[in-house]
Amino acid sequence: MSAVSNIYPTAALQALDAAHHIHPFSDTKALNEEGSRIITHADGIWLTDSNGNRILDGMAGLWCVQVGHGREEIAEAVNKQMSELSYYNTFFKTSHPPAIALSEKLAELAPSHMNRVFYCSSGSEANDTVFRMVRHYWDQMGKPDKKVIIGRWNGYHGSTVAGTSLGGMKGMHEQGDLPVPGVRHIDQPYWYGEGEDMSPEEFGVHVARKLEEAIDQIGEDKVAAFIAEPIQGAGGVIIPPETYWPEMKRILDERDILFVADEVICGFGRLGKWFGSEFYGLEPDLMPIAKGLTSGYLPMGGVLVSDRVCEGLIDKGGDFNHGYTYSGHPVCAAAALANLEIMQREKLVERVADDIGPYLQNRWRALGDHPLVGEARMEGLMGALELVPKKGERKTKFADGGSAGTLCRDLSFQNGMVMRAVGDSMIISPPLVLSHDEADQLIAIASKTLDDTYAELKKDGKL
Ligand SMILES: *Cc1c(COP(=O)(O)O)cnc(C)c1O
């Protein structure tokens, strides 16, 4: 099967997939019995599967396709770069125009105190880079005891050893005996699930102070950095209470540790600013980026580095013994440049702030009236619905946690839209080019899907 072709019947593609392909984050045995859904085309916010169904891509692929699918302009930029210089490295005193141009562009878009970027091919590699960079920084600054990195439970920072360790996904830690030594986790600002009897405002301050407690317990002289996503994505679109980031900022300002804002999802317009840190008024020392950087057209990630960190990393001299064959890959850089060019020309970031963001948020929050929904939350263009068995009782959860979510996800697919399930909450993160009409369709499908899920759960005696 050289040019993998859509002329193969779906069943044949599924059989080959089952025979030879191991899927990420999947129960491959169960999937093989069911058969994977084969996506063959995509255009704008619409996917087409091998049976010709059109499906609204409510997740922008995996939180990444900001400019929508099938943009010829990016294909052309990639094609042109492929012919001019398909590959060269940036290791041994060499550079190339696409990497240089992209670096300048990123410095222009990033907060003013961040002017340099280190490249890799994914968000996970970006966080592996972060892991080594913060430790190297403190060595260079003459404080080699500062090595511990604090992350958060239910945070997501990728799937490599360092990414998994920094993240706080227990199901991931269990596989591969992680985290590695030198990583600690504090509670997440998940008021709906963990706020107990506190108000959101009280809980925000309470849970932020866990950072202060952890630093004191470990010893400030041993802590290298704190890492967090401005809004947790994979953890379930956890939008922190309004008091959380201001209190965090107070603590971070007082303490001599680096702050890493993982912008892999929140970056590139998802919250109506170029970066989530801007949205919350944060001043990170490092920002891992990926996903929206290329809108997923080609794999690329990076770490944006503040002038402060450059003092240790660059100004003091010496090699940083770290890098990837594909750091700054010219074709990926060309894709990123074409993608950012579209985002700027079409004012997609502003659009999320002033137009489609508020438009979808209003309608999404109204889904909170549904009898199956305990909370409907959305910031920028990322949102969640908490499915609950007893409306109005925040602490009552489904007995068999996760199956309502899985059911709802499957019904959503049947109804023509990709929503993701995280336990029993439903997640969306659509492309930033979503039109008003498409937003209405998204809400209509979500609404019908909630009705269908409710009816099924009732039938099964789960409500
Ligand atoms: C997706 C994600 C990553 C990992 O990126 P990959 O490209 O999948 O390696 C890291 N951090 C956050 C916040 C993410 O959402």
Side-chain angles (χ1 to χ4, degrees):
M1 216 159 118
S2 50
V4 180
S5 117
N6 304 327
I7 60 167
Y8 274 65
T10 300
L13 288 166
Q14 286 174 325
L16 288 170
D17 192 60
H20 304 298
H21 183 190
I22 303 172
H23 289 249
F25 283 98
S26 298
D27 176 342
T28 299
K29 182 164 183 264
L31 175 65
N32 289 349
E33 280 157 19
E34 195 183 329
S36 49
R37 188 181 284 257
I38 316 284
I39 305 299
T40 55
H41 298 83
D43 181 35
I45 69 156
W46 297 95
L47 309 170
T48 305
D49 73 11
S50 55
N51 295 324
N53 298 305
R54 263 163 72 78
I55 304 147
L56 196 162
D57 184 5
M59 282 303 298
L62 266 179
W63 322 85
C64 55
V65 189
Q66 319 299 70
V67 298
H69 297 275
R71 306 289 302 236
E72 281 300 324
E73 193 176 331
I74 302 180
E76 277 160 25
V78 163
N79 191 33
K80 181 162 176 284
Q81 186 56 46
M82 276 270 182
S83 327
E84 261 171 37
L85 176 72
S86 55
Y87 174 73
Y88 200 68
N89 73 74
T90 50
F91 278 36
F92 309 117
K93 302 188 180 176
T94 53
S95 197
H96 46 65
I100 294 166
L102 180 59
S103 308
E104 187 202 18
K105 172 60 76 184
L106 288 169
E108 172 202 320
L109 298 175
S112 59
H113 69 290
M114 305 187 107
N115 290 293
R116 288 192 170 91
V117 57
F118 188 99
Y119 291 112
C120 54
S121 302
S122 70
S124 299
E125 286 179 2
N127 282 314
D128 274 56
T129 299
V130 159
F131 192 94
R132 301 199 61 212
M133 212 179 246
V134 298
R135 290 179 164 195
H136 178 59
Y137 167 81
W138 287 115
D139 285 347
Q140 290 279 89
M141 298 304 283
K143 295 184 178 174
D145 290 339
K146 285 173 83 67
K147 287 284 148 67
V148 176
I149 306 178
I150 301 173
R152 301 183 300 180
W153 293 118
N154 201 37
Y156 187 76
H157 301 297
S159 196
T160 51
V161 168
T164 302
S165 296
L166 296 173
M169 300 281 176
K170 289 181 182 155
M172 292 176 72
H173 289 170
E174 279 161 15
Q175 299 175 341
D177 304 304
L178 298 170
V180 294
V183 180
R184 294 280 284 271
H185 296 90
I186 58 172
D187 290 342
Q188 57 176 335
Y190 181 26
W191 175 78
Y192 190 86
E194 298 173 1
E196 309 256 307
D197 295 323
M198 283 176 259
S199 70
E201 293 71 28
E202 286 166 343
F203 180 67
V205 172
H206 166 83
V207 79
R209 291 194 180 149
K210 300 278 180 180
L211 176 63
E212 204 161 41
E213 289 162 26
I215 296 171
D216 286 336
Q217 205 183 56
I218 301 160
E220 192 174 328
D221 54 339
K222 297 207 168 56
V223 178
F226 169 63
I227 181 167
E229 307 154 75
I231 289 178
Q232 287 152 264
V237 185
I238 311 292
I239 301 173
E242 275 176 24
T243 50
Y244 180 75
W245 280 121
E247 181 67 4
M248 274 294 190
K249 208 162 133 49
R250 174 192 67 77
I251 297 164
L252 290 164
D253 285 349
E254 286 174 19
R255 303 303 183 117
D256 189 23
I257 67 171
L258 298 179
F259 170 44
V260 185
D262 185 335
E263 295 275 0
V264 172
I265 286 178
C266 295
F268 303 101
R270 181 62 49 202
L271 298 179
K273 297 275 183 193
W274 278 97
F275 296 96
S277 297
E278 261 177 279
F279 182 81
Y280 283 114
L282 307 172
E283 279 182 43
D285 298 293
L286 297 164
M287 297 200 306
I289 55 174
K291 295 194 171 115
L293 169 61
T294 59
S295 277
Y297 280 70
L298 283 174
M300 186 174 222
V303 181
L304 289 165
V305 183
S306 68
D307 299 340
R308 172 192 176 182
V309 171
C310 287
E311 192 192 325
L313 191 71
I314 298 173
D315 301 350
K316 288 194 180 287
D319 285 353
F320 178 39
N321 297 317
H322 179 75
Y324 306 96
T325 303
Y326 301 133
S327 285
H329 194 290
V331 182
C332 302
L337 279 164
N339 173 57
L340 297 175
E341 160 78 32
I342 293 174
M343 290 188 65
Q344 285 193 301
R345 193 179 63 232
E346 298 182 0
K347 300 202 178 349
L348 295 184
V349 181
E350 293 84 345
R351 197 172 173 265
V352 173
D354 317 326
D355 178 6
I356 191 62
Y359 185 85
L360 187 65
Q361 287 157 22
N362 280 335
R363 282 154 184 76
W364 185 258
R365 289 187 191 125
L367 296 173
D369 295 337
H370 195 279
L372 191 58
V373 177
E375 183 182 74
R377 55 178 181 263
M378 181 176 258
E379 201 70 84
L381 282 186
M382 59 197 291
L385 301 172
E386 298 271 358
L387 306 187
V388 290
K390 270 214 173 80
K391 198 166 173 79
E393 287 185 26
R394 186 155 56 88
K395 288 183 205 159
T396 313
K397 310 225 155 68
F398 284 103
D400 50 354
S403 65
T406 307
L407 171 68
C408 187
R409 184 195 61 196
D410 291 349
L411 289 169
S412 178
F413 229 128
Q414 273 178 35
N415 289 334
M417 179 164 80
V418 179
M419 271 199 284
R420 175 166 165 185
V422 176
D424 288 320
S425 44
M426 304 311 299
I427 305 302
I428 59 155
S429 165
L432 312 189
V433 291
L434 184 80
S435 70
H436 286 215
D437 179 54
E438 289 165 338
D440 294 344
Q441 295 182 57
L442 183 156
I443 295 297
I445 300 176
S447 180
K448 174 175 181 348
T449 300
L450 288 170
D451 290 346
D452 293 353
T453 308
Y454 188 84
E456 282 281 316
L457 289 171
K458 194 116 206 168
K459 204 176 74 192
D460 296 344
K462 291 182 178 168
L463 287 176

